[in-house]
Coordinates of all heavy atoms in Angstrom, one line a residue:
M951 N -33.7 83.3 -45.1 CA -33.6 83.0 -43.7 C -33.4 84.4 -43.0 O -32.6 85.2 -43.3 CB -32.5 82.1 -43.4 CG -32.3 81.8 -42.0 SD -30.8 81.1 -41.6 CE -31.2 79.3 -41.8
L952 N -34.1 84.5 -41.8 CA -33.9 85.7 -41.0 C -32.7 85.5 -40.1 O -32.6 84.5 -39.5 CB -35.1 86.0 -40.2 CG -36.3 86.6 -41.0 CD1 -37.5 86.7 -40.0 CD2 -36.1 87.9 -41.6
T953 N -31.9 86.6 -39.9 CA -30.9 86.5 -38.9 C -31.3 87.3 -37.7 O -32.4 87.9 -37.7 CB -29.6 87.3 -39.5 OG1 -30.0 88.7 -39.6 CG2 -29.1 86.7 -40.8
L954 N -30.6 87.1 -36.6 CA -30.9 87.9 -35.4 C -31.0 89.3 -35.6 O -31.8 90.0 -35.1 CB -29.8 87.5 -34.3 CG -30.1 88.2 -33.0 CD1 -31.4 87.9 -32.4 CD2 -29.0 87.8 -32.0
R955 N -30.0 89.9 -36.4 CA -30.0 91.3 -36.7 C -31.3 91.7 -37.4 O -31.8 92.7 -37.1 CB -28.8 91.6 -37.6 CG -28.7 93.0 -38.3 CD -28.8 94.2 -37.4 NE -28.0 94.1 -36.1 CZ -28.3 94.8 -35.0 NH1 -29.2 95.6 -34.9 NH2 -27.4 94.6 -34.0
D956 N -31.8 90.9 -38.4 CA -33.1 91.1 -39.0 C -34.2 91.3 -38.1 O -35.0 92.1 -38.1 CB -33.4 90.0 -40.1 CG -32.4 90.1 -41.3 OD1 -31.9 91.1 -41.6 OD2 -32.3 89.0 -41.8
C957 N -34.2 90.3 -37.1 CA -35.2 90.3 -36.1 C -35.2 91.5 -35.2 O -36.3 92.2 -34.9 CB -35.1 89.0 -35.2 SG -35.5 87.6 -36.2
I958 N -34.0 91.9 -34.9 CA -33.8 93.2 -34.0 C -34.3 94.4 -34.8 O -35.1 95.2 -34.2 CB -32.4 93.3 -33.5 CG1 -32.1 92.2 -32.6 CG2 -32.1 94.7 -33.0 CD1 -30.5 92.0 -32.2
D959 N -33.9 94.4 -36.1 CA -34.2 95.6 -36.8 C -35.8 95.6 -37.2 O -36.3 96.7 -37.3 CB -33.6 95.5 -38.2 CG -32.1 95.8 -38.2 OD1 -31.6 96.3 -37.1 OD2 -31.2 95.4 -39.0
F960 N -36.4 94.5 -37.3 CA -37.9 94.5 -37.4 C -38.6 94.7 -36.2 O -39.8 95.1 -36.2 CB -38.4 93.2 -38.0 CG -38.0 92.9 -39.4 CD1 -37.5 91.7 -39.8 CD2 -38.0 93.9 -40.4 CE1 -37.1 91.4 -41.1 CE2 -37.8 93.6 -41.7 CZ -37.3 92.4 -42.1
S961 N -38.0 94.7 -35.1 CA -38.7 94.9 -33.8 C -38.8 96.4 -33.5 O -38.3 97.2 -34.1 CB -38.0 94.2 -32.6 OG -37.0 95.1 -32.1
D962 N -39.7 96.8 -32.5 CA -39.9 98.2 -32.2 C -39.0 98.5 -31.0 O -39.2 99.5 -30.3 CB -41.4 98.4 -31.7 CG -42.3 98.3 -33.0 OD1 -41.8 98.8 -34.0 OD2 -43.3 97.8 -32.9
L963 N -38.1 97.6 -30.7 CA -37.1 97.9 -29.6 C -35.6 98.1 -30.1 O -35.4 97.6 -31.2 CB -37.1 96.6 -28.6 CG -38.4 96.5 -27.9 CD1 -38.3 95.1 -27.2 CD2 -38.6 97.6 -26.8
R964 N -34.8 98.7 -29.4 CA -33.5 98.9 -29.8 C -32.7 97.7 -29.2 O -33.1 97.1 -28.2 CB -32.9 100.2 -29.3 CG -33.6 101.4 -30.0 CD -33.0 102.7 -29.7 NE -33.6 103.7 -30.5 CZ -33.8 104.9 -30.1 NH1 -33.4 105.3 -28.8 NH2 -34.4 105.8 -30.9
E965 N -31.5 97.4 -29.8 CA -30.8 96.3 -29.3 C -30.4 96.4 -27.8 O -30.5 95.5 -27.1 CB -29.5 96.2 -30.1 CG -28.7 95.0 -29.8 CD -27.5 94.8 -30.7 OE1 -27.3 95.6 -31.7 OE2 -26.8 93.8 -30.5
E966 N -30.1 97.7 -27.4 CA -29.8 97.8 -26.0 C -30.9 97.5 -25.1 O -30.7 96.9 -23.9 CB -29.2 99.2 -25.7 CG -27.9 99.6 -26.4 CD -28.2 100.1 -27.9 OE1 -29.3 100.2 -28.2 OE2 -27.1 100.2 -28.6
E967 N -32.0 97.8 -25.5 CA -33.3 97.4 -24.6 C -33.5 96.0 -24.6 O -33.8 95.5 -23.5 CB -34.5 98.2 -25.3 CG -34.4 99.7 -25.3 CD -35.3 100.4 -26.2 OE1 -35.9 99.8 -27.0 OE2 -35.4 101.7 -26.0
I968 N -33.3 95.3 -25.7 CA -33.4 93.8 -25.7 C -32.3 93.2 -24.8 O -32.6 92.2 -24.1 CB -33.4 93.4 -27.1 CG1 -34.5 94.0 -28.0 CG2 -33.3 91.8 -27.2 CD1 -34.3 93.7 -29.5
L969 N -31.2 93.7 -24.9 CA -30.1 93.2 -24.1 C -30.4 93.4 -22.6 O -30.1 92.5 -21.8 CB -28.7 93.9 -24.5 CG -28.1 93.5 -25.7 CD1 -27.0 94.4 -26.1 CD2 -27.6 92.0 -25.7
A970 N -31.0 94.6 -22.3 CA -31.3 94.9 -20.9 C -32.4 93.8 -20.3 O -32.4 93.4 -19.3 CB -31.8 96.3 -20.7
I971 N -33.4 93.5 -21.3 CA -34.4 92.6 -20.9 C -33.8 91.2 -20.7 O -34.1 90.5 -19.6 CB -35.5 92.5 -21.9 CG1 -36.2 94.0 -22.0 CG2 -36.5 91.4 -21.7 CD1 -37.2 94.1 -23.2
A972 N -33.0 90.8 -21.5 CA -32.3 89.5 -21.5 C -31.5 89.4 -20.2 O -31.5 88.4 -19.4 CB -31.4 89.3 -22.6
E973 N -30.8 90.5 -19.8 CA -30.0 90.6 -18.6 C -30.9 90.4 -17.3 O -30.6 89.7 -16.4 CB -29.2 91.8 -18.6 CG -28.3 92.0 -17.3 CD -27.6 93.4 -17.4 OE1 -27.4 93.9 -18.5 OE2 -27.0 93.8 -16.3
C974 N -31.9 91.3 -17.3 CA -32.8 91.3 -16.1 C -33.5 90.0 -16.0 O -33.7 89.6 -14.8 CB -33.8 92.4 -16.4 SG -35.0 92.7 -15.0
E975 N -34.1 89.4 -17.0 CA -34.8 88.2 -17.0 C -34.0 86.9 -17.0 O -34.5 85.8 -16.8 CB -35.8 88.1 -18.1 CG -36.9 89.3 -18.1 CD -37.8 89.1 -17.0 OE1 -38.6 88.1 -17.1 OE2 -37.9 90.0 -16.1
H976 N -32.7 87.1 -17.2 CA -31.8 85.9 -17.3 C -32.3 84.9 -18.4 O -32.4 83.7 -18.1 CB -31.7 85.2 -16.0 CG -31.2 86.1 -14.8 ND1 -30.0 86.6 -14.7 CD2 -31.9 86.7 -13.9 CE1 -29.9 87.4 -13.6 NE2 -31.1 87.5 -13.1
I977 N -32.5 85.5 -19.5 CA -33.1 84.7 -20.7 C -32.1 84.9 -21.9 O -31.5 86.0 -22.0 CB -34.5 85.0 -21.0 CG1 -34.8 86.4 -21.2 CG2 -35.4 84.5 -19.8 CD1 -36.2 86.8 -21.6
P978 N -32.2 84.1 -22.9 CA -31.4 84.3 -24.1 C -31.9 85.5 -24.9 O -33.1 86.0 -24.7 CB -31.7 83.0 -25.0 CG -32.1 82.1 -23.9 CD -32.8 82.7 -22.9
L979 N -31.1 86.1 -25.7 CA -31.4 87.4 -26.5 C -32.6 87.2 -27.4 O -33.5 88.1 -27.4 CB -30.2 87.7 -27.3 CG -30.2 89.0 -28.0 CD1 -30.4 90.1 -27.0 CD2 -29.0 89.2 -28.9
L980 N -32.8 86.1 -28.0 CA -33.9 86.0 -28.9 C -35.2 85.8 -28.1 O -36.2 86.3 -28.5 CB -33.7 84.7 -29.8 CG -34.7 84.5 -30.9 CD1 -34.8 85.7 -31.8 CD2 -34.4 83.2 -31.7
T981 N -35.1 85.2 -27.0 CA -36.4 85.1 -26.1 C -36.7 86.5 -25.6 O -37.9 86.8 -25.5 CB -36.1 84.1 -24.9 OG1 -35.7 82.8 -25.5 CG2 -37.4 84.0 -24.0
A982 N -35.7 87.3 -25.2 CA -35.9 88.6 -24.7 C -36.5 89.5 -25.8 O -37.4 90.3 -25.6 CB -34.6 89.2 -24.2
L983 N -36.1 89.2 -27.1 CA -36.7 90.0 -28.2 C -38.1 89.7 -28.3 O -38.9 90.6 -28.4 CB -35.8 89.7 -29.5 CG -36.3 90.2 -30.7 CD1 -35.6 91.4 -31.1 CD2 -36.4 89.3 -31.8
E984 N -38.4 88.5 -28.3 CA -39.8 88.0 -28.4 C -40.7 88.6 -27.2 O -41.7 89.1 -27.5 CB -40.0 86.5 -28.4 CG -39.3 85.8 -29.6 CD -39.3 84.3 -29.5 OE1 -40.3 83.7 -28.8 OE2 -38.4 83.7 -29.9
E985 N -40.2 88.5 -26.0 CA -40.9 89.0 -24.8 C -41.0 90.4 -24.9 O -42.2 91.0 -24.7 CB -40.2 88.5 -23.6 CG -40.9 88.9 -22.3 CD -40.1 88.4 -21.1 OE1 -39.7 87.3 -21.1 OE2 -40.1 89.2 -20.2
G986 N -39.9 91.2 -25.3 CA -40.0 92.6 -25.3 C -40.9 93.1 -26.5 O -41.6 94.1 -26.3
E987 N -40.8 92.5 -27.6 CA -41.7 92.9 -28.7 C -43.2 92.7 -28.3 O -44.0 93.6 -28.7 CB -41.3 92.0 -29.9 CG -42.2 92.5 -31.2 CD -41.9 93.8 -31.7 OE1 -40.9 94.4 -31.4 OE2 -42.8 94.4 -32.4
S988 N -43.5 91.7 -27.6 CA -44.8 91.5 -27.2 C -45.2 92.6 -26.2 O -46.3 93.2 -26.2 CB -45.1 90.1 -26.5 OG -46.3 90.0 -25.9
M989 N -44.4 93.0 -25.2 CA -44.7 93.9 -24.3 C -44.7 95.4 -24.6 O -45.5 96.2 -24.2 CB -43.6 93.9 -23.1 CG -43.7 92.6 -22.2 SD -42.6 92.6 -20.8 CE -41.0 92.7 -21.5
V990 N -43.9 95.7 -25.6 CA -43.8 97.1 -26.0 C -45.0 97.6 -26.8 O -45.3 98.8 -26.8 CB -42.6 97.3 -27.1 CG1 -42.8 96.8 -28.4 CG2 -42.1 98.7 -27.0
H991 N -46.0 96.7 -27.0 CA -47.3 97.1 -27.7 C -48.4 97.3 -26.8 O -49.6 97.7 -27.3 CB -47.6 96.2 -28.8 CG -46.6 96.0 -29.9 ND1 -46.4 97.1 -30.8 CD2 -45.6 95.2 -30.1 CE1 -45.5 96.8 -31.7 NE2 -44.9 95.6 -31.3
T992 N -48.2 97.4 -25.5 CA -49.2 97.7 -24.5 C -48.6 98.7 -23.5 O -47.5 98.6 -23.2 CB -49.7 96.4 -23.8 OG1 -48.7 96.0 -22.9 CG2 -50.2 95.3 -24.8
P993 N -49.5 99.5 -22.9 CA -49.0 100.5 -21.9 C -48.4 99.8 -20.7 O -47.3 100.2 -20.3 CB -50.2 101.3 -21.5 CG -51.2 101.2 -22.7 CD -50.9 99.8 -23.3
R994 N -49.0 98.7 -20.2 CA -48.6 97.9 -19.1 C -47.1 97.3 -19.4 O -46.3 97.2 -18.7 CB -49.6 96.8 -18.7 CG -49.1 95.9 -17.6 CD -50.0 94.8 -17.3 NE -50.8 95.3 -16.2 CZ -51.9 94.8 -15.7 NH1 -52.4 93.9 -16.4 NH2 -52.6 95.3 -14.7
G995 N -47.0 96.8 -20.6 CA -45.8 96.2 -21.2 C -44.7 97.1 -21.2 O -43.5 96.9 -20.8
R996 N -45.0 98.3 -21.7 CA -43.9 99.4 -21.8 C -43.4 99.7 -20.4 O -42.3 100.0 -20.2 CB -44.5 100.6 -22.6 CG -44.5 100.3 -24.1 CD -44.9 101.5 -24.9 NE -46.3 102.0 -24.6 CZ -47.4 101.6 -25.2 NH1 -47.3 100.7 -26.2 NH2 -48.6 102.1 -24.9
K997 N -44.4 99.9 -19.6 CA -44.1 100.3 -18.1 C -43.2 99.2 -17.6 O -42.2 99.4 -16.9 CB -45.3 100.5 -17.3 CG -44.9 101.0 -15.9 CD -46.1 101.3 -15.1 CE -45.7 101.9 -13.7 NZ -46.8 102.3 -12.9
R998 N -43.5 97.9 -17.8 CA -42.7 96.8 -17.3 C -41.3 96.8 -17.8 O -40.4 96.6 -17.1 CB -43.4 95.5 -17.6 CG -42.7 94.3 -17.0 CD -43.6 93.1 -17.1 NE -42.8 91.9 -16.7 CZ -42.7 90.8 -17.3 NH1 -43.4 90.6 -18.5 NH2 -41.9 89.8 -16.9
I999 N -41.1 97.1 -19.2 CA -39.8 97.2 -19.7 C -39.1 98.3 -19.0 O -37.8 98.2 -18.7 CB -39.9 97.5 -21.3 CG1 -40.5 96.2 -22.0 CG2 -38.5 97.9 -21.8 CD1 -40.8 96.4 -23.4
A1000 N -39.7 99.5 -18.9 CA -39.0 100.6 -18.1 C -38.5 100.3 -16.8 O -37.4 100.6 -16.3 CB -39.8 101.8 -18.1
V1001 N -39.4 99.6 -16.1 CA -39.1 99.1 -14.7 C -37.9 98.1 -14.7 O -37.0 98.2 -13.8 CB -40.4 98.6 -14.0 CG1 -39.9 97.8 -12.7 CG2 -41.4 99.8 -13.7
M1002 N -38.0 97.2 -15.6 CA -36.9 96.2 -15.7 C -35.5 96.9 -15.9 O -34.6 96.6 -15.3 CB -37.2 95.2 -16.9 CG -38.0 94.1 -16.7 SD -37.8 93.0 -18.2 CE -39.5 92.7 -18.5
I1003 N -35.5 97.8 -16.9 CA -34.2 98.5 -17.2 C -33.7 99.3 -16.0 O -32.6 99.2 -15.6 CB -34.4 99.3 -18.4 CG1 -34.7 98.5 -19.6 CG2 -33.0 100.1 -18.7 CD1 -35.0 99.3 -20.9
K1004 N -34.6 100.0 -15.4 CA -34.3 100.9 -14.3 C -33.9 99.9 -13.0 O -32.8 100.2 -12.4 CB -35.5 101.7 -13.8 CG -35.1 102.7 -12.7 CD -36.3 103.5 -12.4 CE -35.9 104.6 -11.4 NZ -36.9 105.6 -11.1
S1005 N -34.5 98.9 -12.8 CA -34.2 97.9 -11.7 C -32.8 97.3 -11.9 O -32.1 97.3 -11.0 CB -35.2 96.9 -11.5 OG -36.5 97.4 -11.3
Q1006 N -32.6 97.0 -13.2 CA -31.3 96.3 -13.5 C -30.1 97.4 -13.2 O -29.1 97.0 -12.7 CB -31.3 95.8 -14.9 CG -30.1 94.9 -15.2 CD -30.1 93.6 -14.3 OE1 -31.2 93.1 -14.0 NE2 -28.9 93.1 -14.0
A1007 N -30.4 98.6 -13.6 CA -29.4 99.7 -13.3 C -29.1 99.8 -11.8 O -28.0 100.0 -11.4 CB -29.9 101.0 -13.9
E1008 N -30.2 99.8 -11.1 CA -30.1 99.8 -9.6 C -29.3 98.7 -9.0 O -28.5 98.9 -8.1 CB -31.5 100.0 -9.0 CG -32.1 101.3 -9.3 CD -33.6 101.4 -8.9 OE1 -34.1 100.3 -8.5 OE2 -34.2 102.5 -9.1
I1009 N -29.6 97.5 -9.6 CA -28.8 96.3 -9.1 C -27.3 96.5 -9.4 O -26.4 96.3 -8.5 CB -29.4 95.1 -9.7 CG1 -30.7 94.7 -9.1 CG2 -28.3 93.9 -9.5 CD1 -31.5 93.7 -9.9
C1010 N -27.0 97.0 -10.6 CA -25.6 97.2 -11.0 C -25.0 98.2 -10.1 O -23.8 98.0 -9.7 CB -25.5 97.6 -12.4 SG -25.9 96.2 -13.5
E1011 N -25.6 99.3 -9.8 CA -25.2 100.3 -8.9 C -24.8 99.8 -7.5 O -23.7 100.0 -7.0 CB -26.2 101.4 -8.8 CG -25.7 102.7 -8.2 CD -24.6 103.4 -9.0 OE1 -24.9 103.6 -10.2 OE2 -23.6 103.9 -8.4
R1012 N -25.8 99.0 -7.0 CA -25.6 98.4 -5.7 C -24.3 97.4 -5.6 O -23.7 97.3 -4.6 CB -26.8 97.7 -5.2 CG -27.9 98.6 -4.6 CD -29.0 97.9 -3.9 NE -29.6 96.8 -4.6 CZ -30.6 96.9 -5.4 NH1 -31.2 98.0 -5.6 NH2 -31.0 95.7 -5.9
T1013 N -24.1 96.7 -6.7 CA -23.0 95.8 -6.7 C -21.8 96.3 -7.2 O -20.8 95.6 -7.4 CB -23.4 94.6 -7.6 OG1 -23.7 95.0 -8.9 CG2 -24.6 93.8 -7.0
G1014 N -21.7 97.7 -7.4 CA -20.5 98.3 -7.7 C -20.1 98.4 -9.2 O -19.1 99.0 -9.6
N1015 N -21.0 97.9 -10.0 CA -20.8 98.0 -11.5 C -21.4 99.3 -12.1 O -22.4 99.3 -12.7 CB -21.4 96.8 -12.2 CG -21.0 96.6 -13.6 OD1 -20.4 97.6 -14.1 ND2 -21.4 95.6 -14.2
T1016 N -20.8 100.4 -11.7 CA -21.3 101.8 -12.0 C -21.3 102.1 -13.5 O -22.1 102.8 -13.9 CB -20.6 102.9 -11.1 OG1 -19.2 102.8 -11.3 CG2 -20.8 102.7 -9.6
V1017 N -20.3 101.6 -14.1 CA -20.2 101.9 -15.6 C -21.4 101.3 -16.3 O -22.1 102.0 -17.1 CB -18.9 101.4 -16.2 CG1 -18.9 101.5 -17.7 CG2 -17.8 102.1 -15.6
H1018 N -21.7 100.0 -16.0 CA -22.9 99.3 -16.5 C -24.2 100.0 -16.1 O -25.1 100.1 -16.9 CB -22.8 97.8 -16.4 CG -23.9 97.1 -17.2 ND1 -24.0 97.2 -18.6 CD2 -24.8 96.2 -16.8 CE1 -25.0 96.5 -18.9 NE2 -25.5 95.8 -17.9
A1019 N -24.2 100.4 -14.9 CA -25.4 101.1 -14.3 C -25.7 102.4 -15.1 O -26.8 102.7 -15.5 CB -25.3 101.4 -12.8
Q1020 N -24.6 103.1 -15.4 CA -24.8 104.4 -16.1 C -25.3 104.1 -17.6 O -26.1 104.9 -18.1 CB -23.4 105.2 -16.2 CG -23.1 105.7 -14.9 CD -21.6 106.3 -14.9 OE1 -20.9 106.1 -15.8 NE2 -21.2 107.1 -13.9
H1021 N -24.8 103.0 -18.2 CA -25.2 102.6 -19.5 C -26.7 102.2 -19.4 O -27.5 102.8 -20.3 CB -24.4 101.5 -20.0 CG -25.0 100.9 -21.2 ND1 -25.0 101.5 -22.5 CD2 -25.7 99.7 -21.5 CE1 -25.5 100.7 -23.4 NE2 -26.0 99.6 -22.8
L1022 N -27.2 101.5 -18.4 CA -28.5 101.1 -18.3 C -29.5 102.3 -18.1 O -30.6 102.3 -18.6 CB -28.7 100.0 -17.3 CG -28.2 98.6 -17.7 CD1 -28.3 97.7 -16.5 CD2 -29.0 98.0 -18.8
R1023 N -28.9 103.3 -17.3 CA -29.8 104.5 -17.1 C -30.0 105.3 -18.4 O -31.1 105.8 -18.6 CB -29.1 105.4 -16.0 CG -29.2 104.8 -14.6 CD -28.7 105.7 -13.6 NE -28.3 105.0 -12.3 CZ -29.2 104.5 -11.5 NH1 -30.5 104.5 -11.7 NH2 -28.7 103.9 -10.4
R1024 N -28.9 105.3 -19.2 CA -29.1 106.0 -20.5 C -30.1 105.2 -21.4 O -30.8 105.8 -22.2 CB -27.6 106.1 -21.2 CG -26.8 107.2 -20.6 CD -25.6 107.4 -21.5 NE -24.6 106.3 -21.7 CZ -23.8 105.9 -20.9 NH1 -23.5 106.6 -19.8 NH2 -23.0 104.9 -21.1
V1025 N -29.9 103.9 -21.4 CA -31.0 103.1 -22.1 C -32.3 103.4 -21.6 O -33.3 103.5 -22.4 CB -30.6 101.6 -22.0 CG1 -31.7 100.7 -22.5 CG2 -29.3 101.3 -22.7
H1026 N -32.6 103.4 -20.3 CA -33.9 103.7 -19.7 C -34.3 105.1 -20.1 O -35.5 105.2 -20.5 CB -33.7 103.7 -18.2 CG -35.0 104.0 -17.5 ND1 -35.3 105.3 -17.0 CD2 -36.1 103.3 -17.1 CE1 -36.5 105.3 -16.5 NE2 -37.0 104.1 -16.6
D1027 N -33.5 106.1 -20.1 CA -33.9 107.4 -20.4 C -34.3 107.5 -21.9 O -35.2 108.1 -22.2 CB -32.8 108.4 -20.1 CG -32.6 108.7 -18.6 OD1 -33.4 108.3 -17.9 OD2 -31.4 109.2 -18.2
A1028 N -33.5 106.9 -22.8 CA -33.8 106.8 -24.2 C -35.2 106.1 -24.5 O -36.0 106.6 -25.2 CB -32.7 106.1 -25.0
F1029 N -35.5 105.1 -23.7 CA -36.6 104.4 -23.9 C -37.8 105.2 -23.4 O -38.9 105.4 -24.1 CB -36.7 103.1 -23.0 CG -37.9 102.3 -23.1 CD1 -38.1 101.3 -24.2 CD2 -38.9 102.3 -22.1 CE1 -39.2 100.6 -24.3 CE2 -40.1 101.6 -22.3 CZ -40.2 100.7 -23.3
I1030 N -37.7 106.0 -22.3 CA -38.7 106.8 -21.8 C -38.9 107.9 -22.8 O -40.1 108.3 -23.2 CB -38.4 107.4 -20.4 CG1 -38.4 106.3 -19.4 CG2 -39.3 108.5 -20.0 CD1 -39.7 105.7 -19.1
N1031 N -37.9 108.6 -23.3 CA -37.9 109.6 -24.3 C -38.6 109.2 -25.6 O -39.3 110.0 -26.2 CB -36.6 110.2 -24.6 CG -36.0 111.1 -23.4 OD1 -36.7 111.6 -22.6 ND2 -34.7 111.1 -23.4
R1032 N -38.3 108.0 -26.0 CA -38.8 107.6 -27.2 C -40.4 107.3 -27.2 O -41.0 107.5 -28.2 CB -38.1 106.3 -27.8 CG -38.3 105.9 -29.1 CD -37.1 105.1 -29.6 NE -36.8 104.0 -28.8 CZ -37.3 102.8 -28.9 NH1 -38.2 102.5 -29.8 NH2 -36.9 101.8 -28.1
F1033 N -40.8 106.7 -26.1 CA -42.2 106.4 -26.0 C -43.0 107.4 -25.2 O -44.2 107.4 -25.1 CB -42.3 104.9 -25.3 CG -42.0 103.9 -26.2 CD1 -40.7 103.3 -26.1 CD2 -42.9 103.4 -27.2 CE1 -40.3 102.2 -27.0 CE2 -42.5 102.4 -28.1 CZ -41.3 101.9 -27.9
G1034 N -42.3 108.4 -24.7 CA -42.9 109.7 -24.2 C -44.1 109.3 -23.2 O -43.9 108.6 -22.2
K1035 N -45.2 109.8 -23.5 CA -46.4 109.7 -22.6 C -47.0 108.3 -22.6 O -47.9 108.1 -21.8 CB -47.4 110.7 -23.0 CG -47.0 112.1 -22.6 CD -48.1 113.1 -23.1 CE -47.5 114.5 -22.8 NZ -48.5 115.5 -23.0
M1036 N -46.5 107.4 -23.5 CA -47.0 106.1 -23.5 C -46.5 105.3 -22.4 O -46.9 104.2 -22.1 CB -46.7 105.4 -24.8 CG -47.4 106.0 -26.0 SD -47.2 105.1 -27.5 CE -45.5 105.3 -28.0
V1037 N -45.5 105.7 -21.6 CA -44.9 105.1 -20.5 C -45.1 105.9 -19.2 O -44.6 107.0 -19.2 CB -43.3 104.8 -20.7 CG1 -42.7 104.2 -19.5 CG2 -43.1 103.9 -22.0
A1038 N -45.8 105.4 -18.3 CA -45.9 106.1 -17.0 C -44.6 105.9 -16.3 O -44.1 104.8 -16.2 CB -47.1 105.5 -16.3
R1039 N -43.9 107.0 -15.8 CA -42.7 106.8 -15.2 C -42.8 105.9 -14.0 O -43.7 106.1 -13.2 CB -42.2 108.2 -14.7 CG -41.7 108.9 -15.9 CD -40.7 110.1 -15.5 NE -40.3 110.7 -16.6 CZ -39.1 110.6 -17.2 NH1 -38.3 109.7 -16.6 NH2 -38.7 111.3 -18.2
P1040 N -42.0 104.9 -13.9 CA -42.0 104.0 -12.7 C -41.6 104.7 -11.4 O -41.0 105.7 -11.3 CB -41.1 102.9 -13.1 CG -40.2 103.4 -14.2 CD -40.9 104.6 -14.8

């Protein structure tokens, strides 16, 4: 039987990225994992993930949750750095 950890480890996303997708889309973690895994394999999907994470950081900043906004910005930067030229900067 696969655990959630196994599914995360088998995906091409990091746990923080999956959590950011779940937060942005207001969906369960496993659903975010499935959606993100599907998106990360296309240029349009990678761009969408980057936009989601950045947008969620901006929302957090506007609502005063600066600590979480900083965390999401680090997640966004790591995502951009990891996929490099495969993601057009939003």
